[in-house]
Amino acid sequence: PDKKIVIGKIVPDFTVENLDKPGTFIKTSDLKGKYVLIDMWATWCGPCVGEMEHLHKAFEKFKNKNFTILSISIDAKKEDVTKFRNGKWKMPWLHSFSEGVWKSKMVDFFEVTGVPKPMLIGPDGKILEMEGNLRGEDLEKTLAKYIH
């Protein structure tokens, strides 16, 4: 009952560093008014890498419809994420890095017990969907329910 990160609740305010623009930050207020898929992930996570094709397809389909993705990596080093994104999957959306792997601030904040942990946040900041409905083939179908 004490969980903050559940469908129907407003995401608490957070600020994360923008991995692509060091020294700048992505805040909850920057995301207001958009549909945002928050993607907690890591390069060493096989299922996370398995979601890349679906994430890229969904981003291409919805990016001009008031939608973005914020990927928050819990890798050991920022360099791991940079190296990964220089490979097959460019991930051309918002990125952050939360140091400390399972002890990272964002793992605690978003009540993450496993990755990937996707969450769809509505324009008003409310959590609309989580986990299974946002994975694999279901990702685009679920987004299409909200984003027209």
Side-chain angles (χ1 to χ4, degrees), residues 44-123:
W44 44 260
C45 159
C48 299
V49 175
E51 291 296 317
M52 286 300 145
E53 181 179 355
H54 302 291
L55 288 168
H56 280 76
K57 279 185 186 169
F59 184 71
E60 279 308 307
K61 185 171 180 176
F62 295 104
K63 69 180 179 185
N64 296 320
K65 296 183 176 182
N66 204 30
F67 169 78
T68 194
I69 298 173
L70 168 58
S71 287
I72 302 174
S73 158
I74 62 165
D75 278 277
K77 302 187 304 269
K78 287 181 190 179
E79 295 76 29
D80 295 341
V81 180
T82 305
K83 185 175 161 191
F84 181 89
R85 290 178 65 205
N86 285 333
K88 180 178 179 183
W89 302 112
K90 303 302 179 209
M91 302 175 75
W93 49 78
L94 297 170
H95 279 271
S96 188
F97 171 78
S98 191
E99 199 168 6
V101 191
W102 293 113
K103 292 183 172 65
S104 83
K105 192 172 99 182
M106 289 291 113
V107 160
D108 187 44
F109 183 88
F110 283 115
E111 300 169 346
V112 176
T113 53
V115 288
K117 181 171 182 173
M119 295 161 261
L120 181 63
I121 313 303

